[in-house]
Amino acid sequence: MTEPTIAPAPPVTLVIFGATGDLTRRLLVPTVLNMTQSGLVSDSLHILGIGIEPGDDEMLRAKLEDFLTTSNIKANYSAETWQGLRSRIFYRQGDFTQDAIYAEIAGQLGAQAGRNAAYYLAVPPLFFGDIVDKLADHDLLKETDGAFRRLVIEKPFGTDLASARALNARILNRVPETQVYRVDHFLGKETVQNIMTARFANMMIESLWSNNFIDHIQITAAELVDVGTRGKFYDATGALRDMVPNHLFQLLAMVAMEPPNSFDAEAIRDEKGKVLKALRIYSSEEAGQNSARGAYTSGVSGGRTIPSYTDIPDVARDSATETYVALKLFVDTWRWAGVPFYLRTGKAMTARDTEIVVTFRQVPFAQFKGMGPQRRLTPNRLIIQVQPDEGLHIEISIKSPGLSVETMPVSLDFNYADFFDIGKLTGYESLLYDLFVGDQTLFQRADSIEAGWAAVQPFLDLWATSAERPDPYPAGSMGPQCADALIERDGRKWHQPDVEHRVKAKVS
Ligand code: BG6
C-alpha cells in the first residue's frame, strides 16, 4: 500500500530533559530516526539533550550510538540518516532546579533556525513543576514571532486526584493548555487510533453501538512482563494507578465517546472528556463490590520462572500493592445505561494481550427454540486486538453444513500484519509528529486527566485503609479467583486470550 504524502513537520528543537535516560534512547531517538527516514521531519530538526550527567555533545552522541547498535529497538533507518541526525544532537549538563541550565537553553535556542521548541520532560514526576516554573521564569515558554513553545509531559501525571489537580494548577498557572501535551503512549498505538475509524466510518458497527444491542464490554491489558527491576516505582504505584486512569480509560473513552462534531482536537477531546466525567463515582462500599485485586506469587510466565512479587528487590515483604486489578464500571449516559464495562490489567499473566471485547446481546432466537439451553447461540462479538497481532475480529454465527440446523460461531478476521508493515514503528511517531505540527488530539487534556483520577479515587481510598491484602495469583495465570467471581456473578466470563498464539509474542 502507498502511504499518502504527509508534509514534513516544521523546523524544531526537541529539548529533552532527561537525555541520558531510558526513554530517550529506547523511544525518543529511535522515533526521530524513523520519522527522519520516512520524511516526517527534515534536517531542520535538532535535539538538545539536558541531563545531570557530566559530558558534552559527543558524550550523548556516542552513548546513543552505542545503544542503537547493540539493542533490539523498533527503528528502520539507514546509516546516513543516523549520521545526519547524530550531527544535530547536542548536550548541555545541568541541574533542572537551578537557573544556569535555562540560560544555556536560551542561548542554544537562539542559535537555531526557526526557534520553535518542544520541551520533553522525560524525567521523574517530582521535577515536572520545577522545570515548568523555571522555563516560564526564563521566558522560554513565551511564543513570540510566530515561533511555538510546547511542553510535553510523560506519565505518571499525579498519583491521585488531589495531586493531579495540584500539578495541573501549577502548570496552567505558567503556560496555557494549548501549549501542553500530556502523553499517554497508548494513544500512539495504531489500533487505538483505529477505534474511532472502526466506529465512525462503519454504519454496521456504529448503528449497533449502544445499550440497545450491546450486553457488556471488556477491556483487558494483560502483560507477560513482571515487575522485575521496577520494584521501587511499582510498589508505590500498583496496577490501578499505573494502567487504569490513563491507558485503560483512554481505550474506554474511545469506545464510549459520542461522535464528535468534527475531527478537530478539541471536538474529540470534548467527547472523550464527557465519557470520563460520566464514569460512575462509587461509594466506598460500591468500590469494594465492584473491584478485585491480586498480587502474583511465583510461577512460570512466558517460559520464564518468576519469583513472587513480594520477593523481588525494592518491594516490601509485606507489601499490599496490587499487581493485578479488575473493575466493573458504568458510564452513566443514555447510550450506555446498564452496560457494564469490565476492565482488568495485570503483570506476569498467561499472555501479553491488550484487547477490547464488545459482546452483543443475544438474538431473541425464536426460530432456534428447539435447540435447548445447552445449545444457546453464542452472542456476536467484536474484538479489537490492540496488541500483539493488531487486528479486528467479528464473531458471528453460521449454520454448519449439513441437513439439520446447527449453528456454530466463526470469526471474520482482519490482521494489520497481512496488509501493512507496522512492526518497525515505536508507536511514538504519530505522537511526535502531532506535537511538532501542533495537533493535540492524541494528548490528554487537564479535565480528562482529573476525571480519570476522580473515578479511581474511591478504590485508592478503600485500599489505603483496608486491612485486606490483594489475593494471590500464580505468575503465568490470568489473575486471582476473586476477579473471575467479579464477572461470573453477573453470569458472564472473561474473554480468554488466544494463549498459544500470544505466548509466542515477545516479552517486551
Ligand atoms: C506503562 C506502565 O505506562 O505502560 C508499564 O508504566 C506497562 O508498567 C506499560 O508495562 C505497558 O505499555 P505497552 O505499550 O507495553 O502495553
Side-chain angles (χ1 to χ4, degrees):
M1 302 247 169
T2 44
E3 283 261 326
T5 320
I6 295 184
V12 63
T13 300
L14 179 62
V15 183
I16 306 177
F17 288 87
T20 54
D22 218 38
L23 186 77
T24 305
R25 59 179 183 218
R26 267 186 201 289
L27 277 169
L28 299 182
V29 170
T31 301
V32 171
L33 278 168
N34 281 339
M35 294 171 77
T36 313
Q37 187 70 38
S38 61
L40 290 177
V41 293
S42 69
D43 290 351
S44 56
L45 177 138
H46 294 75
I47 292 179
L48 172 57
I50 311 293
I52 196 73
E53 206 172 308
D56 56 8
D57 300 342
E58 191 48 37
M59 178 281 290
L60 182 59
R61 292 170 184 174
K63 249 183 193 294
L64 291 171
E65 192 161 69
D66 185 46
F67 183 80
L68 291 170
T69 46
T70 54
S71 355
N72 183 18
I73 48 147
K74 287 187 169 174
N76 201 1
Y77 60 93
S78 66
E80 199 186 343
T81 300
W82 165 243
Q83 285 310 321
L85 180 63
R86 193 185 195 284
S87 65
R88 287 177 279 115
I89 294 178
F90 305 92
Y91 182 74
R92 293 290 175 272
Q93 189 256 335
D95 180 342
F96 309 144
T97 63
Q98 302 300 314
D99 288 305
I101 190 64
Y102 298 88
E104 286 266 7
I105 296 172
Q108 190 71 16
L109 287 180
Q112 305 297 344
R115 293 180 50 84
N116 290 327
Y119 305 104
Y120 206 110
L121 274 46
V123 295
L126 77 122
F127 290 115
F128 291 167
D130 286 343
I131 294 178
V132 174
D133 279 341
K134 289 284 181 206
L135 285 170
D137 289 347
H138 288 260
D139 281 345
L140 287 164
L141 289 168
K142 222 181 236 166
E143 299 191 318
T144 47
D145 305 332
F148 65 72
R149 296 293 161 100
R150 297 180 185 139
L151 186 68
V152 191
I153 304 182
E154 276 282 341
K155 81 174 259 277
F157 197 94
T159 53
D160 57 10
L161 178 58
S163 59
R165 273 189 184 147
L167 184 56
N168 271 329
R170 186 166 176 194
I171 292 170
L172 296 174
N173 189 32
R174 306 306 300 268
V175 59
E177 181 69 47
T178 48
Q179 288 174 244
V180 182
Y181 291 67
R182 299 177 194 78
V183 176
D184 184 313
H185 80 275
F186 264 46
L187 291 175
K189 294 182 193 290
E190 198 59 57
T191 26
V192 175
Q193 292 170 26
N194 187 42
I195 297 173
M196 278 208 297
T197 309
R199 287 188 53 195
F200 303 133
N202 292 298
M203 185 55 96
M204 61 176 276
I205 294 182
E206 187 56 21
S207 57
L208 300 178
W209 213 250
S210 74
N211 53 6
N212 290 328
F213 302 103
I214 290 177
D215 176 73
H216 75 282
I217 294 181
Q218 295 183 21
I219 301 179
T220 297
E223 296 190 87
L224 270 176
V225 284
D226 56 322
V227 174
T229 54
R230 296 172 77 209
K232 190 159 179 237
F233 157 78
Y234 201 85
D235 210 34
T237 306
L240 178 65
R241 284 190 174 92
D242 192 34
M243 296 290 289
V244 178
N246 32 63
H247 306 327
L248 295 197
F249 279 5
Q250 285 301 319
L251 300 184
L252 184 148
M254 291 282 211
V255 167
M257 71 193 272
E258 293 299 317
N261 288 349
S262 73
F263 280 154
D264 285 351
E266 285 321 291
I268 292 172
R269 299 200 307 171
D270 283 348
E271 295 306 336
K272 286 172 63 186
K274 280 192 213 162
V275 170
L276 297 174
K277 286 170 203 159
L279 279 167
R280 188 175 302 170
I281 308 289
Y282 286 136
S283 66
S284 175
E285 195 186 348
E286 289 167 331
Q289 288 160 352
N290 290 294
S291 63
R293 58 188 174 135
Y296 64 82
T297 54
S298 62
V300 178
S301 171
R304 296 174 309 133
T305 303
I306 289 171
S308 294
Y309 173 64
T310 47
D311 284 338
I312 66 172
D314 302 322
V315 168
R317 297 293 159 256
D318 61 348
S319 169
T321 299
E322 78 290 350
T323 64
Y324 173 100
V325 61
L327 304 177
K328 175 182 171 186
L329 301 176
F330 287 96
V331 177
D332 284 330
T333 61
W334 271 58
R335 187 193 280 256
W336 296 114
V339 177
F341 286 74
Y342 298 96
L343 274 53
R344 62 179 167 161
T345 182
K347 299 276 185 207
M349 293 178 67
T350 321
R352 178 167 194 236
D353 180 37
T354 305
E355 61 173 29
I356 299 163
V357 180
V358 179
T359 302
F360 291 86
R361 287 175 180 274
Q362 289 276 356
V363 291
F365 70 109
Q367 305 85 334
F368 298 97
K369 260 198 291 236
M371 292 175 68
Q374 255 59 55
R375 298 160 71 198
R376 280 164 68 89
L377 288 177
T378 311
N380 295 143
R381 280 196 297 219
L382 172 76
I383 301 172
I384 300 171
Q385 187 64 44
V386 175
Q387 62 188 14
D389 307 331
E390 292 83 350
L392 197 77
H393 310 280
I394 297 180
E395 294 180 0
I396 58 167
S397 289
I398 57 143
K399 175 185 168 302
S400 57
L403 294 185
S404 61
V405 181
E406 294 283 345
T407 64
M408 62 181 286
V410 293
S411 182
L412 310 179
D413 300 316
F414 162 72
N415 294 304
Y416 267 84
D418 295 342
F419 297 90
F420 308 98
D421 179 15
I422 56 174
K424 280 283 190 184
L425 297 181
T426 63
Y428 266 60
E429 290 79 5
S430 52
L431 297 178
L432 283 194
Y433 183 79
D434 286 356
L435 164 71
F436 299 150
V437 299
D439 181 342
Q440 291 182 300
T441 311
L442 298 178
F443 296 87
Q444 299 199 78
R445 213 169 54 185
D447 57 338
S448 286
I449 296 242
E450 292 176 19
W453 280 115
V456 300
Q457 193 62 48
F459 303 102
L460 295 174
D461 291 342
L462 175 69
W463 296 343
T465 52
S466 162
E468 282 175 32
R469 295 157 59 85
D471 284 11
Y473 66 95
S477 69
M478 278 307 280
Q481 277 166 5
C482 57
D484 293 340
L486 176 75
I487 192 165
E488 284 171 13
R489 69 169 186 237
D490 296 343
R492 302 180 175 112
K493 276 192 171 306
W494 290 114
H495 181 246
Q496 290 302 316
D498 176 358
V499 174
E500 212 178 295
H501 198 124
R502 306 234 188 290
V503 165
K504 282 192 215 134
K506 261 198 357 234
V507 179
S508 68

